[in-house]
Structures are given as structure tokens and as C-alpha cells.
């Protein structure tokens, strides 16, 4: 008979047990981050590169797995995202140094990086693996420890991917527990993690409720709000190119990136041509009846129909009983109004694009502003134009912190077809009730101790360039005395003091004083 | 200043509980009366906070009043009490299964229960005698396995003679630790039932087994038909970085004894885990030994939770961090006070700090106490301070402990060596 492990008294859902779980995981993370701070830049980058290589090698596997598990998106596009969040992400930040002190001779400042510590991260179901890769790599670049809480709908692929990356990190020499994943996330457990004094920072991507909860946790948090990007196509734009970019963007991973265009606004003078251009690019223009069907299907009393997230245009059309050509990439729904009255002007994480014709440029700007007022404040907006006065007016009008010009917004706002920082956490800033207004990057996961000299010229700045490295690397393993193979390391030298100790210094001082005295007497 | 309340407790302790022991502590400069306790801190009646590096020999491995253990004990009382020791019982069987699943030898099967470590040692010794039909027991000189009738005979006479309970029949042999020849000589007569070994002798100041010593003792046991009893009361439950210390030495014992930390100090309990051969009496006459409190079902419920917690992967990782980090810090302190603090014995979070003076650990204990750290000297080798950090210490706590230990050792060093002959860098 084999022994069976039983639970006779189940306390797993009690506050004591939840807190116990959170404590034990977070404390391991804190240990890891503490030891990580002994690592130099070279070793840090070696770990980062090893993780990126593992992420790249598994891009296809986890793209397929994520689509199969969640039903969201397009595997082929997810693979691209998974790859973008591996080597290219690392290369983007390769020349930035988050490890060594910065020495500023001019301002007589030395800035020493101090990593956050234990970072609790939430990953969404829509972009599960790309977000996971991205957050892990950001954390490792800055020598933090990461605890991942995957969205329950993408749990299995995320747990597996996190363990794969954690193994690669460990193999490359990362501290044990630098990457951990919660295998059975639940709301009470997540709340316990977010509120724990052992959590240095929560990095929340996900539903609004989670983000607000992160901000209410009493701990530092970087959470971002939802998107609802307006895209303005001006008559000055190359309409064919604009249409093509918009369709590419909306169909990319079936619009699961929160930076996807939600409502297209254009002007009467280019309405017809734009419609034709959209059709040529694979858009299907819905008639009034079809718009009604889509509206009813996508929005119900409690909100957006989750089943439609990340589904392709043909699948959605079929759900609504619509017949569309086989090559349809997105569905375009013309709408008269924008605002509360028109549900289709809200965020849609699926390849359905609302289409609105404003009377004038001024009205277009007002409407774009209104879209973001409803939802998506601080997030993204796009414009297609060759008139920089217009783009400037647009960017200063809309309450978005990234305005993508003549590029697909899904990719562009996330930094993949623009020179914005590549990200899977779009800072929605003060407009969007967030602490950060730019694309979140490694710089947000580290603070700096600033050593500041007296600015008076009489006080000279020290020579910090010649100081020895203070990176000791991993902790030496303690001996297990008497265990075969456990060598007993003995301290070979006294710990370095970085110079003389007090008594020696005293002696030296005395010698010098005596010499001086002798010299003066002669 | 000692408060009137505390003075009163000390006086009454002397009057009603244990006059000599109470006074001894006062004489050693440790006027501790533990009141509040939480995590790895204990608080004296007068509010003085101490980091507990004594942990009652690993009893508070998971910290004092670990919230999950408290919770499971409370919840357990909704269903269980001590239970009836005669009948098959749900919790007692469940814990025996859990122990069989994680035992250091694959053929370990039965668990017999006691209420304290020594009781389980007595069960182990009785079981060995029954299984082997021989009476002699070998332990090491200065061994310590507790104070009950048989257990006390395996240890130093310091604890048995007072009670006229030392071995007079020549049944309890003691051999020097780390001496394989002496062990073989003692076993050669084939009249020994069992060798009982603490994997690392605690009360003796954690002298570490030489490489090959323990596996060779086991081989000798096999050669001369004796059982190997691993006393893992202090070395088990992850304290050596693995669930059982003996695992690291590639020894598969016939009997394993665990106690103290198995219930996290929240309910008294001890276990004697045996192979089918060693526990033969359980098949012959199950009524031969019994204990009303031993294997109390509430204790079993708590023990199962302890086993679950200590086997979490995070705990293993944390124990390694604690061991490595404290060692790195202690190495630095040792280098600083190298004329006084001369050695560190270590396996996992079991550590003995050795001082260059016959009674050196006593002043260290005193100065650590004054600086908020409670660690006890080794009764049987007072040069050695037992340094026993918990499994779940945080990095911040370890840093704080090292800071205080450095101060305490520097003061003890000055007291013992005099402050003039100061170290040279």
C-alpha cells in the first residue's frame, strides 16, 4: 500500500494560510533580490540574455498554447510578440546601465542604482506570454526578483513559461527564486500579495478592478488603465497607406493589444475614398442592420462580451449571423454618434472598428477627446496626416500620452513600429489614474541613491572612477561539515576594509606628524 | 531595572518551580522571563526583545506561534482532541502515512508516538531490543537523547547520576564521536541491539561528523547485526537544508526519531519512525507499549501541517539563503575577532560558534542577551555557542542578528581577552 498525504483539517482559505503563502514566496523573492544586488552588469546581462534566448526558443510553443488555452488572438502574431519581447527588448536597453553607479563630474553627483526588491506582477489573458517575457526581463535587467500572478484564463501556459524562464535564469547563475510564479492564483491570494509589506512594487496589467486594487493596496504600484484609441484619418493622409496600416493593426493578434484602434474618425471629403481603401485592405463595411447585430452581440448590460475578445472577424460575423467574404480581416461599423449613447464607441478588444465621419477638423478633435473621456484616458491615439499643425493640435487635444502618427497603433503605441520604448505596460499617467505616463521600462523598477557634493568650487569632487568594484557575486555556499563533497571554505584573508583600519590609520597619522615635526625643527 | 512583577515571578519560580535553575540563570546574567513571543522574537516580561537563536533545539523552527500552525490547531479542535490511544485513529494514521512518505529510508513504515522526544527515544530503544533480541545500546560519549528511563542512560552521567539512574548493568556503552575503531570494537561482540546517533550532536556543541563517519557506522551496524537509530530531533525538518539531516550523509537508518519542531512548539509530540523489521513488536503485540498523550490527534494534525510547510520549495530555498548569508557574515566577524572567535561548525542552519576559551560561549551568551539575541552555550562543551537560526528568517532579520552578534562578540572578547591586546588588521 502506498502512503497517501491527506488534509484532515483544511485551512487553505483562511487568512493565516493565504498570508503564510504570500510571505514565504515574497521572502524568497526578497532574499533573491538582496543577493542579486551583489551581481555586476556583465553577470546580470548574461542572465538576461539567457532568459531572452529561452523566451525566443519557446515563442512558437507558448503562442500556440496561449491561443489554445485562452481562445484569444492569432498564434502567428503571438509568436511575433513573444519574439519581440525576447532579444529585441533586451537589445533596446542593452546600452543602458542599471547596475553601475553613474558618475557626473560636472554636477558633482554619484548616482547609485537601488533596485525595487520583490516585484509582484500581474499578467493578462490577452497577451499572456509577451507580457510575462517583458516583465521578467525588465525585472532581471534591474536585478529585481519577480513574482508572477498569471491571469486564471492563461494560467497553464504562463506557469509553464515562467518555470522555463526561471530555469534558464537559474542555469545562467541568477539567484534562486529570482523568478517565481503562483500556480493557483485566486483573488484573495492576489490581494494578500499586493498588500504584503514584503512586496516592494506591484506591476499590474489587467482588468480595471485589479489595477484599482493594486493602487488601493497601500504599496507602491504601477498599474495602467484600459485603452480606447481614436484614430483620425485626415484628408491630407495617403488614404491607401492609412487604411492598410489600420487594418494591419486591427487584425494584428485580433486586436488584443490594448493599443488597438477603436474608433476611426474621418472627414466628409475623404469618407468615400477611405471606405474603398479600407475594403481593398480587407475590411468589411457593415450595413445598418449588421451594425445593430454587432452592437447587440458585443455589448450586453454588464459590458463587453468576453467570448469575442481576440476572435477573428469571420468568427465574430458568424456569431452575429452575418455573411462576410472569406478574406475579411476586420469589421467596420459606421456610427453616427460618439459617447454614452453609442456602445460601439467603447473599447473593443476584437477586430471591430467603429467608423465616424466628423463634419470638420475641429469636430474631429472634439470627438476624439470625447472617446477618451468615456474610457481609455491617458492611453493611446493615432493620426494619419501629413499636416504637422494638425497632428500637433490633435496631440495637444486628446488626453493620451502616446499619439502614433502614420503607423499602426496596436504595434506603434507599444513601441514596435515606432521608436517608443517596446512595452506591454502602457502607462496611462494622471489622465488614466496611473503613476506613470510613458511606456513602462526597466528605469521604473529602480531608484537611485544620489550622492551630492557641496556645489561650492572650493570643494573638489572625489575620484570615483578608480574605486574597486563592490560586486561580490553570488553568496558562497555555506559548508555542510562532514558531508562528502562539501569542501569547507575557510576565509583566506580578512575581509577587505577598502583601506586602513582605525588603529593603522592612527599609527600612520602619528608617523607623519613626527616626520613633519622633525622636518620643521631642522 | 527589573520590574517588581518580574522579580516576583522569579522569586516564585525559585520557591515553587526550580530554585537552583532559576538562580543559575540569574548568576549567569540572564534574567529572562519570557512573556510575549512571535515569529523569531521573544519578549522578556519587562519588554526586552530577543531574537531567538536557541529555538529550544529547533522546536520553533518555523517561529513562535506560527500563524498557520495556530490556525490548524484551532480548527483541529472543532473535530479532534487527543483521541483514544487504543483504537485505529484517523489523524494518527494520516500522520504515520505522511511520515512514511517522506522518511529517509524507503522501507520505513510504522510510526509509534510519544509526547516528547525522550519518550520516542525510549520507544526506539525498546523496539530495537525487541527486534534484535539483544540488550546493549551504543551511543557516543557526551551524547544527549533526553531524560526518560532509557534515554537518560545513553547520555552523559551528569544527567543520570543525580537520580541514581545511570547504567549499572553494562548495557549502555559509550564510544568517542568520530572514532570508527572504537565503534567497531564495541559492536564486535554482536551483542548490541542498536547504535543511537544524533546526526550532529547538539548539546555537545555540534561537533561535525567526519566525512564517511556516519555511513561507516551504518555499515558496521549491518556487519554486526545492530540497528541504526537516527536521532533527528534537532537535525531534522530542514535544519540541514534537507528534510532529514541524515539524508545528506547517505545513511538509511532503521529507526528515525523526530520531536521538538514537528509540531512547531504549539502542541507536544514526538515520533519514532521504523522499518517493518525494527518495529516488529507492532505485529507481535500491539498493546506492548502505549501512551495516552503520545500521538494525540491534535498533535498529529499540527505535525502534518508542519511537514507540509517545511517541504515547500520556498522553504528549502530560504534555508540555503539563511545558511549562506549568516555564514558569510559570521566569517567576517570571525576574521575581525580571530584571536577569540576561532571556528564555525555548520551544516545548514545548525551552527556552533567556537571560542578560544574554556567557558568562552558563556560571556558571549551574556553579551548577546544584553544586545537582544538569545543563543545558548553548549552544556557539554561551553566553548561552543549553539547558533540555531530559524527556517523562515527574513533577510532583514538576518542582517539585524549579525549586527547584534558582532557587537556581542566584540564585548565578550574584551571581557575575556582584555581590551588591550587588540586585534591587528
Amino acid at each position: 500500500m502506498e502512503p497517501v498525504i491527506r488534509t484532515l483539517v483544511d485551512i487553505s482559505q483562511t487568512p493565516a494560510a493565504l498570508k503564510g503563502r504570500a510571505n514565504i514566496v515574497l521572502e524568497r523573492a526578497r532574499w533573491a533580490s538582496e543577493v542579486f544586488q551583489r551581481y555586476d552588469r556583465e553577470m546580470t546581462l548574461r542572465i538576461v540574455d539567457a532568459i531572452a534566448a529561452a523566451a525566443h526558443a519557446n515563442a512558437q510553443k507558448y503562442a500556440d498554447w496561449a491561443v489554445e488555452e485562452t481562445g484569444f488572438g492569432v498564434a502567428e502574431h503571438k509568436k511575433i510578440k513573444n519574439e519581440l519581447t525576447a532579444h529585441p527588448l533586451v537589445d533596446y536597453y542593452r546600452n543602458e546601465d542599471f547596475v553601475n553607479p553613474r558618475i557626473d563630474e560636472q554636477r558633482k553627483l554619484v548616482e547609485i542604482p537601488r533596485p525595487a526588491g520583490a516585484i509582484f506582477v500581474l499578467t493578462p489573458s490577452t497577451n499572456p506570454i509577451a507580457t510575462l517575457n517583458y516583465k521578467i526581463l525588465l525585472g532581471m535587467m534591474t536585478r529585481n526578483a519577480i513574482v508572477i500572478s498569471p491571469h486564471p484564463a492563461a494560467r497553464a501556459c504562463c506557469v509553464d513559461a515562467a518555470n522555463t524562464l526561471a530555469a534558464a535564469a537559474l542555469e545562467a547563475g541568477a539567484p534562486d527564486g529570482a523568478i517565481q510564479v503562483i500556480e493557483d492564483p485566486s483573488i484573495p491570494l492576489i490581494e494578500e500579495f499586493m498588500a504584503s509589506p514584503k512586496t516592494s512594487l506591484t506591476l499590474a496589467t489587467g482588468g480595471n478592478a485589479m489595477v484599482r486594487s493594486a493602487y488601493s493596496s497601500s504599496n507602491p504600484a504601477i498599474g495602467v488603465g484600459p485603452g480606447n484609441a481614436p484614430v483620425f484619418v485626415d484628408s491630407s493622409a495617403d488614404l491607401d497607406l492609412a487604411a492598410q496600416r489600420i487594418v494591419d493593426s486591427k487584425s494584428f493578434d485580433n486586436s488584443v493589444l490594448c493599443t488597438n484602434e477603436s474608433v476611426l474618425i474621418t472627414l466628409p471629403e475623404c469618407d468615400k475614398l477611405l471606405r474603398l481603401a479600407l475594403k481593398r485592405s480587407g475590411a468589411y463595411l457593415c450595413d445598418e442592420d449588421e451594425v445593430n447585430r454587432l452592437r447587440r452581440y458585443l455589448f450586453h448590460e454588464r459590458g463587453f462580451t468576453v467570448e469575442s475578445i481576440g476572435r477573428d472577424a469571420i468568427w465574430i460575423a458568424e456569431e452575429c449571423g452575418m455573411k462576410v467574404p472569406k478574406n475579411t480581416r476586420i469589421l467596420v461599423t459606421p456610427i453616427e454618434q460618439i459617447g454614452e449613447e453609442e456602445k460601439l464607441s467603447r473599447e473593443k478588444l476584437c477586430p471591430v472598428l467603429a467608423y465616424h465621419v466628423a463634419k470638420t477638423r475641429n469636430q474631429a478633435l472634439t470627438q476624439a477627446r470625447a472617446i477618451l473621456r468615456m474610457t481609455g484616458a491617458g492611453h493611446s491615439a493615432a493620426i494619419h496626416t501629413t499636416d504637422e499643425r494638425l497632428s500637433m493640435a490633435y496631440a495637444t487635444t486628446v488626453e493620451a500620452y502616446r499619439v502614433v502618427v502614420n503607423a499602426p497603433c496596436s504595434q506603434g503605441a507599444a513601441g514596435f513600429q515606432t521608436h517608443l520604448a517596446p512595452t506591454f505596460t502602457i502607462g496611462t499617467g494622471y489622465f488614466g489614474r496611473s503613476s506613470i505616463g510613458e511606456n513602462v521600462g526597466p528605469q521604473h523598477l529602480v531608484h537611485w541613491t544620489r550622492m551630492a557634493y557641496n556645489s561650492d568650487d572650493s570643494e573638489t569632487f572625489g575620484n570615483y572612477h578608480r574605486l574597486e568594484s563592490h560586486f561580490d557575486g553570488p553568496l558562497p555556499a555555506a559548508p555542510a561539515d562532514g558531508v562528502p563533497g562539501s569542501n569547507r571554505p575557510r576565509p583566506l584573508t580578512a575581509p577587505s576594509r577598502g583601506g586602513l583600519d582605525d588603529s593603522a590609520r592612527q599609527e600612520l597619522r602619528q608617523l607623519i606628524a613626527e616626520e613633519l615635526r622633525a622636518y620643521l625643527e631642522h | 531595572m527589573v520590574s517588581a512583577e518580574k522579580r516576583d515571578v522569579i522569586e516564585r519560580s525559585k520557591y515553587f518551580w526550580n530554585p537552583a535553575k532559576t538562580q543559575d540563570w540569574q548568576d549567569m546574567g540572564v534574567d529572562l522571563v519570557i512573556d510575549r513571543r512571535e515569529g523569531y522574537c521573544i519578549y522578556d516580561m519587562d519588554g526586552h526583545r530577543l531574537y531567538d537563536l536557541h529555538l529550544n533545539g529547533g522546536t520553533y523552527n518555523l517561529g513562535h506561534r506560527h500563524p498557520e500552525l495556530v490556525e490548524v490547531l484551532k480548527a483541529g479542535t472543532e473535530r479532534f482532541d487527543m483521541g483514544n490511544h487504543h483504537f485505529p485513529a484517523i489523524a494518527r494514521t494520516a500522520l504515520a502515512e505522511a511520515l512514511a512518505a517522506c522518511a529517509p529510508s524507503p522501507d520505513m513504515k510504522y510510526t509509534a508516538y510519544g509526547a516528547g522526544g525522550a519518550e520516542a527515544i525510549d520507544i526506539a530503544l525498546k523496539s530495537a531490543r525487541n527486534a534484535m533480541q539483544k540488550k546493549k545500546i551504543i551511543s557516543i560519549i557526551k551524547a544527549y537523547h533526553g531524560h526518560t528511563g532509557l534515554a537518560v542512560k545513553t547520555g552523559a552521567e551528569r544527567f543520570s547520576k543525580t537520580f541514581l539512574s545511570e547504567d549499572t548493568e553494562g548495557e549502555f556503552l559509550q564510544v568517542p564521536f568520530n572514532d570508527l575503531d572504537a565503534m567497531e570494537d564495541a559492536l564486535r561482540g554482536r551483542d548490541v541491539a542498536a547504535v543511537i546517533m544524533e546526526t550532529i550532536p547538539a548539546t555537545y556543541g555540534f561537533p561535525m561528523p567526519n566525512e564517511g563517519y556516519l555511513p561507516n557506522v551504518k555499515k558496521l551496524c549491518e556487519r554486526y547485526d545492530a540497528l541504526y537509530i537516527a536521532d533527528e530531533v534537532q537535525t531534522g525538518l530542514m535544519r540541514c537544508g534537507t528534510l532529514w539531516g541524515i539524508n545528506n550523509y547517505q545513511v538509511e537508518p532503521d529507526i528515525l526519531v523526530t520531536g521538538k519542531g514537528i509540531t512547531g512548539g504549539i502542541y507536544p509530540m514526538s515520533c519514532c519512525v521504523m522499518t517493518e523489521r525494527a518495529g516488529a513488536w507492532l505485529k507481535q503485540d500491539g498493546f506492548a507499549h502505549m501512551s495516552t498523550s503520545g500521538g494525540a490527534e491534535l498533535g498529529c494534525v499540527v505535525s502534518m501541517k508542519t511537514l507540509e510547510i517545511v517541504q515547500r520549495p520556498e522553504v528549502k530555498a530560504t534555508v540555503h539563503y539563511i545558511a549562506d548569508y549568516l555564514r558569510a557574515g559570521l566569517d567576517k566577524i570571525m576574521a575581525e575577532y580571530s584571536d577569540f572567535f576561532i571556528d564555525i561548525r555548520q551544516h545548514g542552519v545548525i551552527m556552533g560558534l567556537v571560542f578560544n576559551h574554556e567557558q568562552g560561549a558563556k560571556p558571549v551568551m551574556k553579551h548577546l542577551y544584553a544586545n537582544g539575541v538569545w543563543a545558548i552555550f553548549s552544556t557539554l562543551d561551553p566553548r561552543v555557542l549553539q547558533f540555531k537560526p530559524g527556517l523562515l528568517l527574513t533577510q532583514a532579520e538576518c542582517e539585524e542578528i549579525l549586527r547584534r552578534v558582532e557587537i556581542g562578540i566584540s564585548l565578550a572578547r574584551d571581557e575575556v581577552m582584555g581590551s588591550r591586546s587588540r586585534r591587528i588588521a
Side-chain angles (χ1 to χ4, degrees), chain A residues 21-97:
Chain A
R21 278 281 309 281
N23 277 346
I24 222 163
V25 171
L26 287 167
E27 201 50 52
R28 184 187 188 187
R30 292 190 82 86
W31 271 112
S33 78
E34 190 66 29
V35 172
F36 216 161
Q37 292 182 44
R38 299 163 55 103
Y39 285 41
D40 63 14
R41 183 156 181 267
E42 191 187 335
M43 195 149 182
T44 306
L45 279 175
R46 200 183 315 145
I47 292 160
V48 167
D49 284 330
I51 296 170
H56 181 87
N58 289 287
Q60 180 77 60
K61 173 182 164 188
Y62 292 121
D64 293 339
W65 191 341
V67 171
E68 192 186 320
E69 188 176 355
T70 64
F72 302 154
V74 182
E76 179 194 331
H77 296 161
K78 287 209 183 299
K79 178 176 182 248
I80 296 171
K81 291 195 293 187
N82 296 352
E83 285 172 352
L84 284 171
T85 49
H87 295 304
L89 177 72
V90 174
D91 290 337
Y92 185 88
Y93 291 108
R94 187 169 300 279
N95 295 325
E96 295 201 30
D97 188 345

Side-chain angles (χ1 to χ4, degrees), chain A residues 127 205 225-229 255-260 347 349 379-380 426:
Chain A
N127 303 291
T205 310
N228 191 28
S255 283
V256 292
L257 280 165
C258 52
T259 43
N260 81 81
E347 186 184 26
L349 292 175
H379 212 288
S380 312
I426 305 286

Side-chain angles (χ1 to χ4, degrees), chain A residues 3-4 6 8-9 11 14 20 24 27-28 31-32 34 175-176 198 478-483 488 490 495 501, chain B residues 68 71 75 79 91 97 208-209 211 248-249 304 315 317 321 324 327 335-336 343-347 393-395 425:
Chain A
V4 175
R6 292 162 214 281
L8 298 180
V9 177
I11 59 160
T14 62
I24 222 163
E27 201 50 52
R28 184 187 188 187
W31 271 112
E34 190 66 29
D176 178 309
K198 295 177 191 292
D481 292 336
V483 173
R488 199 170 176 200
R490 304 289 308 161
D501 79 349
Chain B
E68 288 178 73
E71 184 72 32
R79 181 175 176 192
E97 279 191 78
M208 293 292 165
E211 269 198 41
N248 294 337
Y249 297 95
M304 283 193 287
V315 174
Y321 273 129
D324 297 350
R327 179 54 182 255
E336 186 100 346
D343 196 12
I344 301 169
R345 300 165 176 174
Q346 181 175 12
H347 188 167
L393 276 170
T394 67
Q395 189 275 329

Side-chain angles (χ1 to χ4, degrees), chain B residues 228-271:
Chain B
Y228 185 107
I229 302 172
D231 179 345
E232 285 266 329
V233 172
Q234 292 226 29
T235 47
L237 302 169
M238 290 305 296
R239 294 205 57 77
C240 294
T242 48
L243 186 59
W244 309 112
I246 196 74
N247 286 138
N248 294 337
Y249 297 95
Q250 280 100 47
V251 172
E252 289 182 3
D254 302 287
I255 301 179
L256 173 132
V257 175
T258 181
K260 290 191 190 285
I262 190 74
T263 44
I266 215 78
Y267 198 100
M269 178 92 167
S270 62
C271 313

Side-chain angles (χ1 to χ4, degrees), chain A residues 313-384:
Chain A
I314 293 171
W315 188 92
I316 291 171
E318 272 172 12
E319 285 294 295
C320 299
M322 291 160 51
K323 273 221 160 4
V324 297
K326 277 201 174 127
N327 59 356
T328 300
R329 297 169 69 199
I330 71 167
L331 304 172
V332 174
T333 58
I335 55 173
E336 294 297 320
Q337 286 181 306
I338 276 170
E340 285 309 310
E341 305 85 341
E342 178 51 84
K343 289 180 173 156
L344 285 166
S345 59
R346 293 188 196 162
E347 186 184 26
K348 300 167 288 296
L349 292 175
C350 64
V352 176
L353 177 70
Y355 182 97
H356 176 77
V357 182
K359 294 242 168 345
T360 62
R361 276 182 166 183
N362 267 345
Q363 199 183 66
L365 264 53
T366 316
Q367 296 288 45
R369 226 178 122 79
I371 288 165
L372 290 171
R373 188 156 54 237
M374 198 162 45
T375 169
H379 212 288
S380 312
I383 185 167
H384 296 263

